[in-house]
Amino acid sequence: MPPSYPPNFPAASAAHQQPPQLSSSRRRPRVDSHSDPDTNDNSTRTAASNNLGKRPRGEYTFSPSAQLPTPHQQDPFQPTMSAKAQGKRPEVIDLTQNSSPGRPSNSSYGGGGGSRPGGITGLQPHLGPRKLVIKNLRQTTSTQRAGADEYYTRTRADLDNALDAIFAGRPAGEPMELLYRGVEDLCRKGEAESLYNRLKDRCDRWLTSDDGIGQLRKEVTANTTHFNVIEVTAAVMGVYRRWNARMLIVRKVYSYLDRSYLLLQSTIGKEDKGRQGVNDMAISLFRKAVFGPRSATKALPLGVMVLRGMITLIMQEREDQEREQIPGGLDRVQLLKDSVTMLKVFGVYGKFFEPWFLEHSYEFYKEFAEQKSESCGLRDYIKHIDALLKREEHMCDFYGFDSTTKRQLLQDAHGVLITKYSEKLLDTGSVAKLLEAEDVPSMKALYQLLKLSGLQNKLKEPWDSYIRKTGSAIVSDTARGDEMVIRLLELRRSLYVMIRDAFDQDEVYSYGLRESFGGFMNDSKSTSAWGTGTSKVGEMIAKYIDMLLRGGLKTLPKSLLSDNKDKAIAERSGLAAAGDEDSELDTQLGHALELFKFIDGKDTFEAFYKKDLGRRLLLGRSASQDAERSMITKLKGECGANFTHNLEQMFKDQELSRDEMTSYKTWLAGTGKATKGGVDLTVKVLSHSAWPTYNDVKVTLPKEVLEQTTSFETYYQAKHTGRKLTWKHNMSHCIIKARFDRGPKELSLSAQQGSVLMLFNDVPDDTPLSYSQISQSTSLTGAELDRTLQSLACGKSRVLSKAPKGRDVSPTDTFTVNRAFADPKFRVKINQIQLKETREENKETHEKVARDRQLETQAAIVRIMKSRKTMGHAQLVAEVINQTKARGAVDPGEIKANIEKLIDKDYIEREEGNYVYLA
């Protein structure tokens, strides 16, 4: 069927299509040499010449019912006018022709030489503005009006039938283009408002019908408890999907109405403020059918069922309940997501859904927290709360909840689950169990949970309490005193890992760690268990460093060694290389120094460190000279040059002794006294004030060694007059060459061990020496002789054989050379069995430290009084504590006792309640 168009504008008849006459122009027309001279008459030229200087304001006169005259004829409807008058007359142009007179139809004025229908080329816009006057326009006849009415009636019917088909889910009866053109024609006729009302009424009738949502709404309104809310939600979403699919087609058909009428009407004024586009109308109708009008304060029963269905889906998702199958096989997750989107489209998300959802969530959090707090310990409670919060955050993002909903939801969760139960989360005993178990994941989760509510700093109190309690127990444990420092370092290591991995390097906890360690390491209640009066921790740190410098990393448990994270941090900071043993040793020494920084009694550490350093230097037991010097540098940086002055002097004595021995060898060669008996003597001359005091052990040296020591003493006294040498043979060691049946060996021994073995050179082979004979020849007695013989005959390397066999040495035993001795190494080191430091020796060292501290206190009092002359008691005590705290904490009672001693010695005196210095 060919398209029928509305007969609004009748076409011009062929009798009226005459060439138009162009009589006005700004420029003189170009006269072609081939043009017909009859075409350009005088009248035309005169008109053209009169308009050269000024472009006239011309008129276009359109008279469809009159015959236009040719250029050579006089217009019969107008009086005869002169050429000059005609030049000012409005020009008449026939718009029904394809070209203007005087111009070829294929000229450039026509824009390409082609003709346009309707004579539009006669209208030349580029020649300037013109006025169009239409005369004798014919009116539409009754027959034509009847044809137009029939067209519009048929168009309305086609649109109604098309809507019926669309809402029924069938194809429209007419092509979409014709339907669109019909809507356009009705809108141009002025029926846009009527068309919009008919469309709105038709959409509303289908939506509220049984095919739409009407039947479901009636049933739900009648009995809200009869239906499954999830099934109702699914049913509403099914209708909503069908509604959207149908309205998509409707919007295409009524697109012209939407764009040309509704869009314009919505921007005109307040009287058309309620006018909506087709899409907005569809949303408004569905929202009104389910939830009520926009101004409603409460949702309709059907909308309430939808909201309840959404809440039920969310609660089942939270509680991980077994979910019943939705009719139609709908996906529950997609149903909830689409429902949230629908509420946002309707604009009822924040009005109806969000408050209800937050209220139900709050109640859920309360029940959840109450249940878990009663049935779970802290670790499990943290685990459940952390998992719940992560699920809630994921749910908000996955289902497309608004950011305001998510923020308020998490705030409620934090307030109920964390803030309300903060006492449980911050319970000192429970937190201590997690720290003791080194449960980094649980502590990290706890820290992050508290951080969400801004309570992370409150965790510092149970953190400090655990450190003080655990550290005090370690320090006061006299049964495991030798393990004190290792246990303290393991505690510090575990706490450091906790700060690094669980607390995000929070400085609050790092400061708490330092503060707590300093508290229990200097607590008199903890250190009083040892009964020394001085710092036992300082002594044990010195012994730990001695062990580390003698044995290296192999003496440490693996728990103290740096892990991969520590090595990565060290590499990024440029402090050390991963896997470097020297760097790891330096790191471990640094950790020990960290403990040293916490103690106040640094004089105790100095006494024991100095004693152990002397043994390492004299006996050559240091694992690394670089580590020794690095440790001195660390101590100097921490305590100053005065603290390490004697320690540095010990290293200088080592260097001076090497120079002294070089000079001695030169002197010995110059005198012609070559070394006799193959003895190569090396002597270390030590400053008495810098080195610690060692107990003398009387031993008779072999005559070959004795001759060499006498020679060196003669040389030294001749070179340094007024000095006296005191030999410390018990600090000496030697290397002896021995021949056994399985080959020669070099034995590294102490002076006592060497003296015993040298006795067997003076007796026939396999001749035994008794215990008493060895004692008489070496002057060794008691425990010293027992330890020496036991190391030679009962240890791992048995160069002597004892009869009878056994692990202990008795005065009735006899000894012979074990000629069957064998060892894979050529040089065999036989360690002297060292007696553990006796309680009396340890107490003597502490007492010496206490005596030195008293003298330092008195010296500080004298210095202060000498500069101030007069001071009160409280001021003097405070100043003394301030000046002596670097060496060790002094009790105010001891300061008062030392003031009394100085008064007795006439250094100061009392005068009117103050102390006065006596010059």
Side-chain angles (χ1 to χ4, degrees):
M1 176 180 178
S4 59
Y5 297 95
N8 291 346
F9 304 103
S13 63
H16 300 153
Q17 296 179 359
Q18 298 297 329
Q21 180 177 356
L22 180 65
S23 61
S24 176
S25 174
R26 294 183 61 187
R27 298 177 59 185
R28 179 185 300 272
R30 176 182 296 179
V31 179
D32 191 34
S33 60
H34 301 285
S35 61
D36 188 359
D38 295 336
T39 306
N40 300 316
D41 59 356
N42 295 332
S43 176
T44 304
R45 288 195 297 269
T46 303
S49 61
N50 290 337
N51 290 280
L52 289 176
K54 178 179 180 182
R55 184 177 66 182
R57 186 173 182 180
E59 286 187 353
Y60 293 103
T61 303
F62 180 42
S63 180
S65 60
Q67 178 69 36
L68 295 178
T70 63
H72 302 282
Q73 295 175 345
Q74 180 70 30
D75 190 350
F77 298 100
Q78 296 182 6
T80 304
M81 301 176 64
S82 64
K84 183 177 182 181
Q86 289 181 1
K88 298 181 180 179
R89 176 188 174 197
E91 56 184 323
V92 178
I93 298 176
D94 186 1
L95 297 179
T96 62
Q97 294 297 325
N98 293 335
S99 62
S100 300
R103 298 185 187 273
S105 60
N106 60 347
S107 66
S108 60
Y109 293 95
S115 61
R116 299 183 182 180
I120 302 302
T121 52
L123 182 63
Q124 302 288 339
H126 62 280
L127 297 180
R130 297 291 186 269
K131 182 177 181 181
L132 181 65
V133 178
I134 301 176
K135 296 181 179 179
N136 300 326
L137 182 65
R138 291 186 300 173
Q139 300 296 325
T140 304
T141 64
S142 60
T143 304
Q144 293 172 334
R145 284 197 298 270
D149 293 340
E150 181 183 356
Y151 168 78
Y152 290 127
T153 302
R154 185 172 61 253
T155 301
R156 296 187 193 98
D158 291 341
L159 290 174
D160 290 340
N161 294 334
L163 287 177
D164 291 338
I166 291 172
F167 283 120
R170 303 190 310 269
E174 300 291 338
M176 298 292 292
E177 182 181 0
L178 290 182
L179 297 175
Y180 175 84
R181 292 298 182 188
V183 172
E184 180 180 357
D185 293 340
L186 291 174
C187 290
R188 291 181 181 276
K189 187 176 181 297
E191 297 185 12
E193 184 174 0
S194 174
L195 187 64
Y196 172 77
N197 293 331
R198 288 166 61 87
L199 173 63
K200 183 177 181 181
D201 180 68
R202 185 64 187 87
C203 293
D204 187 42
R205 281 191 288 112
W206 181 88
L207 184 60
T208 56
S209 66
D210 293 345
D211 293 336
I213 210 168
Q215 184 64 27
L216 180 62
R217 186 173 61 177
K218 294 176 183 177
E219 294 177 357
V220 169
T221 304
N223 187 2
T224 58
T225 60
H226 176 68
F227 295 93
N228 185 308
V229 291
I230 297 180
E231 294 180 1
V232 172
T233 304
V236 172
M237 284 304 305
V239 176
Y240 181 65
R241 292 189 183 98
R242 295 199 307 272
W243 171 259
N244 284 337
R246 285 151 177 75
M247 291 308 298
L248 178 62
I249 302 175
V250 172
R251 288 201 304 271
K252 292 180 180 178
V253 173
Y254 288 84
S255 176
Y256 187 84
L257 173 68
D258 202 7
R259 292 184 289 106
S260 65
Y261 174 71
L262 299 180
L263 180 62
L264 294 176
Q265 290 295 324
S266 63
T267 60
I268 290 177
K270 296 182 178 180
E271 64 275 5
D272 296 300
K273 186 175 182 181
R275 193 72 67 186
Q276 296 174 316
V278 176
N279 185 59
D280 293 338
M281 176 197 70
I283 294 173
S284 177
L285 290 176
F286 205 100
R287 177 182 62 236
K288 184 178 179 181
V290 177
F291 295 97
R294 182 182 294 273
S295 60
T297 58
K298 293 184 180 180
L300 295 179
L302 183 58
V304 173
M305 295 289 282
V306 173
L307 296 174
R308 289 175 57 189
M310 296 174 64
I311 297 298
T312 303
L313 288 172
I314 294 173
M315 296 304 295
Q316 290 180 355
E317 182 76 16
R318 283 171 170 167
E319 299 173 0
D320 198 19
Q321 295 177 353
E322 183 178 355
R323 301 158 185 168
E324 64 274 11
Q325 184 69 27
I326 301 177
L330 295 177
D331 182 68
R332 306 171 64 88
V333 174
Q334 191 62 39
L335 174 60
L336 184 56
K337 293 179 70 175
D338 292 345
S339 300
V340 173
T341 304
M342 180 184 69
L343 296 185
K344 290 184 177 180
V345 172
F346 291 167
V348 298
Y349 175 89
K351 186 176 183 180
F352 293 146
F353 173 75
E354 186 180 53
W356 205 0
F357 169 64
L358 293 176
E359 181 181 355
H360 282 77
S361 299
Y362 188 83
E363 295 299 326
F364 167 74
Y365 294 148
K366 288 174 61 178
E367 295 177 3
F368 184 88
E370 184 177 356
Q371 177 187 356
K372 297 303 180 183
S373 64
E374 293 177 356
S375 60
C376 301
L378 179 59
R379 179 187 283 107
D380 293 335
Y381 183 78
I382 293 172
K383 181 179 178 181
H384 289 302
I385 296 303
D386 184 57
L388 175 62
L389 291 178
K390 290 180 179 178
R391 289 199 305 269
E392 293 292 288
E393 186 173 2
H394 173 73
M395 179 185 66
C396 293
D397 296 334
F398 183 75
Y399 290 112
F401 295 162
D402 283 350
S403 59
T404 55
T405 306
K406 178 181 177 181
R407 181 172 62 252
Q408 185 61 43
L409 179 70
L410 294 180
Q411 287 179 357
D412 292 344
H414 300 161
V416 175
L417 302 173
I418 301 173
T419 306
K420 187 175 181 180
Y421 288 87
S422 59
E423 293 183 1
K424 180 179 181 66
L425 294 173
L426 297 172
D427 181 66
T428 303
S430 301
V431 173
K433 291 181 181 179
L434 296 180
L435 293 173
E436 186 177 1
E438 300 181 13
D439 192 348
V440 175
S442 296
M443 289 301 300
K444 181 178 180 63
L446 175 60
Y447 176 79
Q448 295 297 337
L449 290 177
L450 294 173
K451 191 174 183 180
L452 293 174
S453 298
L455 303 176
Q456 69 273 19
N457 290 340
K458 291 188 176 182
L459 187 59
K460 183 177 180 295
E461 183 176 349
W463 166 265
D464 294 346
S465 176
Y466 166 75
I467 297 175
R468 287 194 179 95
K469 183 178 180 180
T470 307
S472 298
I474 294 174
V475 171
S476 59
D477 189 358
T478 57
R480 302 174 62 185
D482 294 340
E483 304 174 13
M484 178 193 296
V485 178
I486 291 181
R487 293 172 65 190
L488 289 176
L489 289 175
E490 287 178 341
L491 173 63
R492 181 182 176 276
R493 170 68 182 173
S494 66
L495 297 174
Y496 165 76
V497 172
M498 197 69 67
I499 294 174
R500 184 193 67 188
D501 297 341
F503 298 156
D504 298 334
Q505 300 285 359
D506 195 331
E507 279 296 326
V508 172
Y509 297 93
S510 299
Y511 175 77
L513 172 64
R514 295 189 295 268
E515 188 180 42
S516 299
F517 261 76
F520 72 77
M521 290 176 68
N522 299 295
D523 188 7
S524 58
K525 295 180 180 179
S526 301
T527 56
S528 61
W530 300 92
T532 58
T534 55
S535 176
K536 186 66 177 181
V537 182
E539 172 195 347
M540 302 312 299
I541 293 175
K543 291 183 177 180
Y544 170 80
I545 294 177
D546 174 64
M547 177 193 72
L548 196 59
L549 291 174
R550 284 190 292 109
L553 296 177
K554 62 179 179 291
T555 60
L556 292 179
K558 292 183 179 181
S559 59
L560 292 180
L561 298 179
S562 301
D563 57 14
N564 292 331
K565 288 187 178 181
D566 292 331
K567 293 177 181 178
I569 294 173
E571 287 184 351
R572 287 196 298 268
S573 60
L575 298 179
D580 188 351
E581 184 174 347
D582 292 338
S583 298
E584 181 64 23
L585 178 60
D586 186 72
T587 300
Q588 296 301 325
L589 291 174
H591 292 167
L593 188 64
E594 289 294 327
L595 292 184
F596 168 72
K597 293 178 181 179
F598 297 138
I599 61 175
D600 293 336
K602 291 180 171 54
D603 48 0
T604 306
F605 170 86
E606 180 188 12
F608 284 93
Y609 184 85
K610 180 178 178 182
K611 185 177 180 180
D612 295 333
L613 175 62
R615 290 182 179 275
R616 293 195 301 273
L617 294 179
L618 295 178
L619 301 179
R621 294 179 178 176
S622 292
S624 172
Q625 288 293 325
D626 292 338
E628 292 282 2
R629 295 186 178 277
S630 175
M631 192 63 197
I632 296 298
T633 302
K634 294 177 185 294
L635 291 173
K636 186 175 183 179
E638 177 64 25
C639 304
N642 291 334
F643 186 86
T644 59
H645 174 72
N646 289 337
L647 304 180
E648 292 175 333
Q649 183 62 41
M650 295 168 70
F651 284 93
K652 291 181 181 179
D653 286 347
Q654 294 281 97
E655 297 175 0
L656 292 175
S657 296
R658 286 193 290 269
D659 296 339
E660 196 70 53
M661 288 309 302
T662 301
S663 177
Y664 170 68
K665 295 296 177 73
T666 303
W667 174 83
L668 193 64
T671 58
K673 297 180 180 179
T675 303
K676 298 180 180 180
V679 176
D680 187 7
L681 180 67
T682 301
V683 179
K684 295 180 180 179
V685 182
L686 313 177
S687 301
H688 186 273
S689 59
W691 290 75
T693 302
Y694 299 103
N695 296 328
D696 292 333
V697 177
K698 186 178 180 181
V699 59
T700 301
L701 299 176
K703 58 181 180 179
E704 297 86 355
V705 178
L706 190 58
E707 290 176 359
Q708 292 296 324
T709 58
T710 303
S711 175
F712 179 81
E713 189 170 0
T714 301
Y715 156 79
Y716 189 83
Q717 289 181 349
K719 184 178 180 180
H720 304 282
T721 57
R723 295 186 182 180
K724 180 180 180 181
L725 293 177
T726 301
W727 295 92
K728 300 291 183 180
H729 298 304
N730 58 318
M731 302 299 297
S732 304
H733 63 279
C734 60
I735 296 176
I736 295 179
K737 294 181 179 180
R739 292 187 296 273
F740 299 96
D741 294 343
R742 297 188 180 183
K745 300 289 182 183
E746 287 186 357
L747 305 177
S748 179
L749 309 165
S750 65
Q752 296 93 316
Q753 292 172 328
S755 299
V756 172
L757 290 182
M758 290 294 290
L759 295 177
F760 290 92
N761 288 337
D762 298 332
V763 297
D765 295 344
D766 299 330
T767 301
L769 291 176
S770 63
Y771 180 91
S772 58
Q773 289 176 326
I774 295 174
S775 176
Q776 184 178 2
S777 301
T778 59
S779 302
L780 295 174
T781 59
E784 191 68 30
L785 179 59
D786 292 345
R787 289 190 299 111
T788 302
L789 293 174
Q790 192 173 12
S791 64
L792 295 172
C794 304
K796 181 178 179 181
S797 300
R798 301 181 180 182
V799 295
L800 295 181
S801 298
K802 183 177 76 70
K805 294 182 179 181
R807 298 184 60 85
D808 297 327
V809 175
S810 64
T812 59
D813 293 341
T814 59
F815 300 87
T816 58
V817 177
N818 180 18
R819 296 193 174 277
F821 173 77
D823 193 279
K825 299 178 182 179
F826 176 72
R827 175 172 290 186
V828 182
K829 183 176 183 179
I830 303 177
N831 293 324
Q832 175 80 358
I833 297 178
Q834 300 290 333
L835 286 176
K836 289 185 178 180
E837 187 179 31
T838 62
R839 186 177 183 86
E840 289 75 16
E841 291 175 343
N842 185 276
K843 185 177 181 180
E844 180 182 352
T845 304
H846 280 282
E847 289 176 351
K848 183 178 181 300
V849 171
R851 290 194 299 270
D852 293 342
R853 186 176 295 179
Q854 297 297 325
L855 296 177
E856 291 176 1
T857 303
Q858 294 180 19
I861 295 172
V862 172
R863 286 196 306 270
I864 294 170
M865 292 302 302
K866 187 176 182 180
S867 61
R868 300 292 184 87
K869 305 302 181 182
T870 302
M871 288 189 71
H873 178 77
Q875 295 176 334
L876 179 59
V877 170
E879 191 67 25
V880 171
I881 292 176
N882 184 52
Q883 290 194 11
T884 59
K885 64 181 180 181
R887 300 286 297 175
V890 182
D891 187 80
E894 296 179 357
I895 296 177
K896 183 177 180 180
N898 284 289
I899 292 175
E900 296 295 335
K901 292 179 181 179
L902 292 176
I903 292 175
D904 294 339
K905 295 178 181 179
D906 294 333
Y907 280 96
I908 58 178
E909 66 177 3
R910 288 189 181 90
E911 183 177 317
E912 298 180 356
N914 294 328
Y915 297 114
V916 179
Y917 177 70
L918 300 177

